[in-house]
Amino acid sequence: MLPAQTMHLALRFRQQGPWDLSRNCVHAFPADDAGNEYLKVFQQRSADIVCEEMQASLDSFADFLTRGGSKKRLQERYDENCTLFRTMPRPRASDTSPRESFCGLLAGNARAEVMANNAMHEVAAQFKLNQDQQAVLRRTKAWLLDEKTDPVILVHGAYGAGKTQLSVAAIVFLTRVLDTIGDQTVRICVAAATNVAVDNVLKGLKRHGFDAFNRVGSIRNMDQELLEHALHYSERGLAAAVQDARAQLTDLARDTLRTTRSAGPSQALRYLEKTPLTKLAKEQQRREMQCRVVGVTCCSSSREFMMQTFQKPGVRTICLIDEAAQAVEALSMLPLVRTRAQVAMLVGDPLQLPPLTATQAIPQCAQKSSSSTMPSSHAAPKRYADGATSMFDRLRRLGREPVRLSVQYRCHPRISEISSKLFYDGKVRSGICAADRPALLAGLPAVGFYDVGAVNEKRTTDGSFVNEREQSLVCMMISKLIEAGVRPEQIGAIALYRAQAEAIESRLQAGGRANGVAVSTVDAFQGAERDVILISTCRTSGPGFTACPRRVNVMITRARHHLVILGRRDALCVSRLWRDVLQQCDTQTSLEGVLQHLNDAALEAREHAFDEDLELERELHGG
C-alpha cells in the first residue's frame, strides 16, 4: 500500500473569508489530513466545495482504500490523479455561485421559533427520548435558529442506546418543521457504509408512519421492505435502469420465494413489467420532488443522480451518516461532498469495531485504533493503520466533543455492567431492569462462561482456526434451546474466527437447525442483536487477536437476555482483559451442569407438548 504521504485528495475552494486559500485554485493534500481540512471548511464556512472537480479523485481514493490492490496499480491511480489536478479547468460561473446557508434558516422569526420548540417537544414525547437524546434534538433545532451554531454534530452512542431511534426522530423533527413552514429547498441525505445501516434508519421511519423518502442503490442489496421506495437510475437512461432493475428483481424473487416465501420482489417486478416507461418517468420525477429524504450508501452517493438531486440551484443539504465510526474517512467524505452538505450529523460508537480495509490484516485493524475513553488497562494503541481512520474519530481527536448517549436499553443489566465497566469507564447506565430481560429458561444465568477443557485448536490452510469441541457444544446447546421452546430467531452464535463460524453453520444445516439461527463472526454481527448469544472463542494456545478490546466489546453487547461463552479458561486468562471478563461471569455452574439443565428443559418441553396433544385429542373425541 502506498505510504500515507503519497495519498492525496483534491478540493477546489472558492475563497470567501479570511482563511488563506487562493481564489479558485485546486488544493491537493495528504489524505491523513482530509478530516482536518474538512473541519476547517465547516468551522470557517468561508469556502465552498465544488464536487465535480474532486469526484474522480475521491472515487479512486475510496476504491483503493476499501478494495486494496497492487502497489503498481495504486501508483498508476495516484499518477492519474496528479495529472487530473494539473489539467483541471477553472470552474464555471455556476460552480462558484454561493449557496444559501442552512444554519439560521428560521433566525429572527419568533413565530417559527415557537413552532420549532413545540415540534421538538412533540417528537421527544412521540419517540420517548431520554435526556441525552433530547440534547441532540436541541442541537438540530439550533441549526434552524442560530446562524452561528456548529454545523457538525457528533453523536457517540453506546450499544443499545437508541442511535437509530434518535436518527429517525431527528429526521422526523426536521421534516416536520420544514414542511410546516412550506420549505421546498432543504434535502436530507441518510448515508452509511453498509446497506443494512441505511435500511435500518429508513425502516425506522416507516414504522413511525413516515414514508416520504427514496432509496437509491442496488435493488439486490437493499431490504425488501423498501423496494417500493427504490429509485431506478442509470447514467445510460431510465430504460437501461429499468432493465437492470428487472434482472435484479427476477433473481431476487427466485431466491426469496425459495427461502422465505416473501412476495415483495415479485410484486415490484410485476409493477415494472406492467407500467409504461413514460409513466415510470413521471412517477419518479414526482417522488424526487415530493420526498426530501434520500437513503444511500456512501459508495452509491457518488452516482450522478446525487449531484442532480442535491446540487440544484437553491438546494440546501443536511447529511446524516449512521455507523460513522465504522466507515473509512474517504467513504464519509463521499456523501458529504457529493451532496455539498452544509450541516452534518455523524452517529456512531468509536469503541466498537473500527473501519476495516482490505489491505489490512484483521489483527492490525482491530488493535491499531484510537480508544482514548477506554480504561487505560484495556486501551488499544493510539496509532492508526494507514487508511483505517474514520472521520468520526478524526473530528473527535481534533477536539470536537460528541454528545454521548449513555443509557442502554438492549442488554440485561448484568451483561451491560461488564461492557460499561471495561470499556466505557462505568458511564453506561441501563434504562431497563432485570425483570425486563427475564430468563428464557429458568435457572440459566444472564452471563455464563463454561470451560471446554484441554481440547486443542486446529489451524486451517488459510490461517484461520477451528475447534471441533466448541463446534459440537454450540450446536448441541442451540438444539436444546430450540427443543426447550426458544425460537431459532432468538438465538445467535458468534465465532471469533471465520472458519469456526462456517463449520458451526454447516453442522447446524446438517442437523436441520440452521433456519433462523444467526451464525457469523464478530465483524458481521456488529449492529445485530439476539436474545441468546453463544460465543465460541476457539483458541486454546492463547487468546490471539480475540483479546482486542473493541472486538470483545461488540461480542458481549449483542445479547439481550443471555450471554454464553465457551472457551479454555487457562488460555484466555493469559489476557488481562479476558480475566476481567471472566470474573464477571457466573462460575457456579459447570459445563456439564448447564448441559444437563438444557437437556432437562428440553425434556420437560417435550413432555408438556405431549400432554397438550393428548388433551387436544380427548377434546376432539368428546372426552
Side-chain angles (χ1 to χ4, degrees), residues 45-63:
R45 294 196 303 280
S46 60
D48 195 21
I49 298 176
V50 180
C51 303
E52 296 89 338
E53 283 78 5
M54 69 173 295
Q55 189 57 45
S57 174
L58 269 176
D59 285 342
S60 179
F61 180 75
D63 181 70

Side-chain angles (χ1 to χ4, degrees), residues 30 93 111 113 140 246 256 265 270 283 296 331 345 379 396 423 425 443 450 476 500 504 514 533 560 584 591 599 602:
R111 183 177 179 183
E113 184 172 351
T140 62
R246 285 174 178 171
T256 304
R270 284 195 296 271
E283 171 66 15
V296 64
L331 285 183
M345 184 164 81
R396 185 171 63 92
F423 309 115
D425 285 331
Y450 305 103
M476 184 188 306
Q500 182 77 344
I504 291 172
I533 291 291
R560 287 192 288 251
Q584 308 295 319
L591 175 61
N599 191 61

Side-chain angles (χ1 to χ4, degrees), residues 327-566:
V328 293
E329 194 164 25
L331 285 183
S332 294
M333 288 281 283
L334 282 172
L336 289 169
V337 172
R338 196 57 162 169
T339 64
R340 300 179 75 182
Q342 294 164 306
V343 293
M345 184 164 81
L346 278 65
V347 183
D349 185 357
L351 299 185
Q352 296 190 27
L353 292 179
L356 178 64
T357 65
T359 53
Q360 296 171 302
I362 289 178
Q364 181 189 43
C365 176
Q367 295 172 2
K368 292 189 177 182
S369 51
S370 171
S371 52
S372 59
T373 58
M374 285 186 182
S376 59
S377 59
H378 301 310
K382 293 186 178 180
R383 283 188 61 84
Y384 284 79
D386 288 345
T389 309
S390 71
M391 180 170 287
F392 188 103
D393 251 344
R394 172 87 63 195
L395 297 178
R396 185 171 63 92
R397 291 162 59 205
L398 288 171
R400 181 167 259 104
E401 189 64 29
V403 179
R404 295 181 180 272
L405 307 182
S406 55
V407 181
Q408 72 86 24
Y409 301 92
R410 174 189 299 161
C411 305
H412 187 289
R414 283 282 294 112
I415 300 172
S416 177
E417 182 182 354
I418 299 174
S419 185
S420 177
K421 179 181 178 181
L422 296 182
F423 309 115
Y424 297 86
D425 285 331
K427 294 178 180 178
V428 176
R429 310 182 307 278
S430 289
I432 55 175
C433 61
D436 297 316
R437 293 289 182 267
L440 301 182
L441 296 179
L444 186 64
V447 185
F449 172 80
Y450 305 103
D451 195 337
V452 300
V455 179
N456 291 329
E457 67 199 23
K458 292 182 181 179
R459 194 179 188 94
T460 61
T461 55
D462 61 355
S464 188
F465 288 90
V466 294
N467 186 311
E468 294 182 358
R469 168 70 167 162
E470 290 185 20
Q471 292 170 24
S472 300
L473 289 171
V474 168
C475 293
M476 184 188 306
M477 287 183 170
I478 290 174
S479 295
K480 296 301 180 183
L481 285 168
I482 294 173
E483 290 177 16
V486 180
R487 300 191 312 277
E489 296 77 14
Q490 295 177 276
I491 305 171
I494 298 177
L496 296 178
Y497 288 88
R498 184 176 301 278
Q500 182 77 344
E502 291 172 350
I504 291 172
E505 189 164 25
S506 295
R507 288 196 179 206
L508 289 173
Q509 289 175 346
R513 295 294 193 185
N515 192 24
V517 178
V519 182
S520 66
T521 60
V522 178
D523 305 75
F525 225 101
Q526 179 158 285
E529 57 189 69
R530 291 290 171 114
D531 289 342
V532 183
I533 291 291
L534 297 95
I535 295 172
S536 171
T537 58
C538 198
R539 299 300 299 272
T540 57
S541 61
F545 83 96
T546 67
C548 164
R550 290 184 170 189
R551 194 167 296 276
V552 175
N553 184 24
V554 173
M555 174 192 77
I556 289 173
T557 55
R558 302 308 96 194
R560 287 192 288 251
H561 292 254
H562 299 283
L563 177 67
V564 178
I565 306 174
L566 297 173

